[in-house]
Amino acid sequence: MTTVSPDDATARPVTPPTTPPTTSVRKVAVASGIGTTIEFYDFFIYGTAAALVFPTVFFPALGSTAGTVASFATFAVAFIARPAGAVLFGHFGDRIGRKRTLISTLLLMGISTFLIGLLPGAETIGVAAPIILVLLRFGQGFAVGGEWAGATLLTAEYAPAKRRGFYAMFPQLGPSAAFILSSATFLVTGAVFGDTNETFLNYGWRIPFLFSAVLVLIGLYMRLAIEETPVFREAVADAPAPAARRLPVLDAWHVQKREVLLAAGALASLFSLFYMGTAYLTSYGTKTLGFDRPFVLVTGIIGAVVFGIAIALSAAYSDRVGRRRVILISCVVAVPWTLALFPILDTGSAGLYVLAMCVTLTIFGIAYGPTGALLPELFQTRFRYTGAGLGYNLAGVLGGAIPPLLAAPLTAAYGSIAVGVMLAALSVLSIGCTLKLTETKDVSMRA
């Protein structure tokens, strides 16, 4: 076997894998996909509510524009919490196992989301309402910070080497299914309670949050039924004595800081496209372009179906040509598209709005599909949960928190084209970082 430097994760040689039965891989893939769907459903209903109702319910004194900015500021809080969640849950995921840690993230997300559904508005409890909202949103972000890496590790560490991209796709489909589910629940509650009346603003929007409790119970059942990954069990058996081991976050930063930072930069474009498409364009469609809420929500469902297809195809294709090449295609295409996006939207055409949503989420999906295999492949087993989570969630801060927060004031000051320029700049950054990454599709997970 070739000897390699521990600093070069992508140079790890392929070792003959002990592949579990295909049925076991499929069971884990389905369980991971259902788990991420539930976690991201909880996460996305907040984004939809932030666009549609939170400015009125929690920031009524600020007016329309300032209320929207404040609402998206609370949305961004979760992205600040995500790296902290990645460090804490990554620590336990690398020490006690992927499965047990993922049960904790699911419970934290479910409790935070359910409590948001019970939270009184500003007219009832005053300034305490937005403060509690921020704390609960932090809890959501903290949970998601630990969720994604663990779910993708479960499938990537179980998967056959030649089909790792395909199987790691299943947790990646969670956001697509979750966005469909969250948009559908708001569509149904809006239809039942009325599109703009007081009943919807007081009670109707809460139902999707309260409904999450049922989904969490389903997710817990699925996760309790799966076993810890063989790769992790082998790593524990071969691990040095506890006194000789450092904290996983220190190991990951010391040994593979380059991979953490490059992964964050490479995925910044991905996050910016996704959260602009799922959260900001929902707000832009209703408040700026004047489309009614049901049309915007149905458009989101159509876009989610399209980007789910893009995720599946790109993930499978990455098993043939590599993760890096597929992600690079997405970043390159994103540059001209983001510059053209808002001029297209500002025509006010309903058909072009649908097209804009679908294309934006398709470009995102092309990059997101291979990411489920790329990040686990980048890092060594002993700190893989922490390293993958850090890279992913730092990208979330850069591409997911900042653009939705800056979009409204940029539009007010310079026009909507300024938002496109910001997104294009993030895509250029991602191109540079992706070019610096080494291809990972043929590395061993047992290293």
Side-chain angles (χ1 to χ4, degrees), residues 15-54:
T15 56
T18 307
T19 304
T22 303
T23 52
S24 297
V25 179
R26 290 175 179 172
K27 182 177 180 180
V28 170
V30 171
S32 295
I34 291 174
T36 55
T37 297
I38 294 165
E39 291 260 15
F40 279 95
Y41 166 82
D42 289 356
F43 201 70
F44 291 157
I45 56 175
Y46 190 101
T48 304
L52 299 179
V53 298
F54 282 0

Side-chain angles (χ1 to χ4, degrees), residues 387-413:
L390 273 177
Y392 184 82
N393 289 297
L394 287 175
V397 173
L398 184 59
I402 296 174
L405 186 59
L406 296 182
L410 280 175
T411 300

Side-chain angles (χ1 to χ4, degrees), residues 154-370:
L154 272 181
T155 50
E157 291 185 344
Y158 261 98
K162 297 299 183 183
R163 303 197 70 197
R164 197 180 296 137
F166 172 79
Y167 281 110
M169 160 195 71
F170 283 86
Q172 299 299 82
L173 288 173
S176 171
F179 191 41
I180 293 171
L181 191 58
S182 65
S183 296
T185 53
F186 273 100
L187 192 63
V188 170
T189 53
V192 171
F193 292 103
D195 189 43
T196 57
N197 64 22
E198 289 298 315
T199 304
F200 179 78
L201 291 176
N202 289 334
Y203 305 105
W205 68 268
R206 301 178 184 276
I207 293 175
F209 289 84
L210 300 177
F211 177 65
S212 69
V214 176
L215 298 178
V216 167
L217 291 176
I218 296 172
L220 285 173
Y221 173 79
M222 294 296 298
R223 287 193 167 164
L224 287 170
I226 61 176
E227 299 297 327
E228 187 55 74
T229 71
V231 172
F232 179 78
R233 292 199 300 266
E234 291 173 13
V236 170
D238 296 337
R245 298 165 60 194
R246 298 200 302 180
L247 293 174
V249 65
L250 296 180
D251 273 345
W253 189 252
H254 174 72
V255 179
Q256 292 192 260
K257 175 171 61 177
R258 178 180 183 274
E259 282 76 15
V260 170
L261 295 177
L262 286 179
L267 302 183
S269 172
L270 175 159
F271 273 98
S272 69
L273 290 169
F274 184 51
Y275 288 102
M276 289 300 292
T278 57
Y280 183 73
L281 289 188
T282 299
S283 174
Y284 197 79
T286 54
K287 292 183 170 57
T288 302
L289 301 179
F291 297 130
D292 60 53
R293 182 183 297 147
F295 169 76
V296 170
L297 290 173
V298 169
T299 299
I301 292 172
I302 294 170
V305 171
V306 171
F307 92 73
I309 295 171
I311 288 169
L313 294 176
S314 64
Y317 189 57
S318 75
D319 281 331
R320 295 178 54 192
V321 303
R323 328 300 181 203
R324 178 174 170 269
R325 183 180 299 180
V326 178
I327 293 172
L328 189 60
I329 290 170
S330 171
C331 297
V332 170
V333 173
V335 175
W337 173 250
T338 51
L339 292 173
L341 175 60
F342 283 91
I344 290 173
L345 289 169
D346 289 342
T347 63
S349 165
L352 289 179
Y353 178 80
V354 175
L355 176 67
M357 178 75 79
C358 290
V359 173
T360 300
L361 292 179
T362 296
I363 297 172
F364 153 76
I366 292 171
Y368 198 60

